[in-house]
Amino acid sequence: MPAPSLLVISLSPIHRDARVLRQLSVVAEFGHVTTIGYGPKPEGSDEHLQVPDGLSTLPQTPLGIAKLALRRLRAAELEAPASQWVLKAVKGRRFDIVVANEARILALADAVAGGAPIWADMHEWAPEERTHILSWRLLVAPLMDHLCRTYLPRCAAITTVGDRIGELYRSRYGVEARTMRNSSPYRDLPVGEVADDAVRLVHSGAAVQGRNLELTIDVVSALPERFSLDLYLVPANDGGRYLRSLTERAPADGRVRFLDPVPPMMLPDTLNGYDLGVFWLPPVHTNGRLTLPNKYFDYVQARLGIAVGPSPEMADLTERHGLGVVAEGFSPETITASLRDVTAEEIRSWKRHADSAAHELSFAADAQVARDILGTLLAG
């Protein structure tokens, strides 16, 4: 009997998409895996269909934009150039399960599934993905809402990154979403030494406009000289403009450094020598307010203390496990006040607590959610 055929669609560079790579590590346990996305074949894939660079994942053609503007949303569902390419690439093929990553490809997944069950990994809250951008809010947000309303009830399984976002999907679309966090695989790393006279802060992620990394730089600039910050940033698809603006904003005393990004699986090892992993994202939209990103779990596996703002998902875990400090607000002054007087002994305690929580907050529990879904769908 041939192995099950599983299709994973993620219109992202999968080879460096940490969440999809972890997802693939489980999907690969269940059969022959075909992936569709940008960039080279990712680990865990048996066959990869590489979407040509430059093909948009949204209906950003003159006809597509006209359909969005006229609210002809059904007609715009498959108008994106990348979707058109995928439809041709898989024409005539059959799959036992289709895994769809993010709302923008729900109609595409439905079209290629041919009745096979679809697991929709929604990641975040799709209707407000980029609503801080006017053009997105006016043109794209209605399409995301339409796709969720139309196709989520047809999906056999739905996952998202946190409980609160899952509740949003339940309340608006009447669907049950299971939580599959952005957790990292367990790493057996030591609890690093902490100096008495220096605090080494670190932040890893993408240099994307809207992440407000300016705030992080301004906080470090205002902190005493014993604080330093290293940034491991992946440039955005803007030719590196935003990253350059950040380097220009950094203080001249060298306390803020920009280092080359490292592959997702290497991050905990790279970060292990620091003291505090930091992430302060003001709640400019729902996903910002409810963020629980990859980096949080990388910090835990790296055995770091954690410094965040009052973002409820991160604040809950930080306080429950005694992992670090939660600022009372998102102003530079409030965040600076939360850190200014931290002691070496406090940091040592937070790092020990991260070590104690590393198993519970690892990918093992979230991988089991994926295994339960795939096992159920194949059995059904």
Side-chain angles (χ1 to χ4, degrees), residues 332-349:
E333 297 79 14
T334 304
I335 296 170
T336 301
S338 75
L339 281 179
R340 181 181 287 115
D341 298 323
V342 300
T343 66
E345 190 48 49
E346 285 178 312
I347 296 171
R348 292 185 186 106
S349 174

Side-chain angles (χ1 to χ4, degrees), residues 173-235:
Y173 302 115
V175 297
E176 290 299 318
R178 298 182 66 176
T179 295
M180 187 172 165
R181 302 168 305 183
N182 280 320
S183 52
S184 303
Y186 177 79
R187 300 300 304 274
D188 186 11
L189 292 173
V191 176
E193 296 293 324
V194 177
D196 289 322
D197 58 352
V199 181
R200 299 191 64 199
L201 309 178
V202 69
H203 174 97
S204 58
V208 176
Q209 195 90 35
R211 299 281 175 90
N212 202 4
L213 293 173
E214 298 92 337
L215 172 63
T216 303
I217 292 172
D218 292 347
V219 165
V220 176
S221 299
L223 283 167
E225 288 186 4
R226 67 189 179 109
F227 289 85
S228 64
L229 170 69
D230 282 358
L231 294 152
Y232 293 86
L233 298 177
V234 178

Side-chain angles (χ1 to χ4, degrees), residues 353-367:
H353 291 161
D355 187 50
S356 298
H359 274 292
E360 183 178 342
L361 297 181
S362 74
F363 183 58
D366 297 293

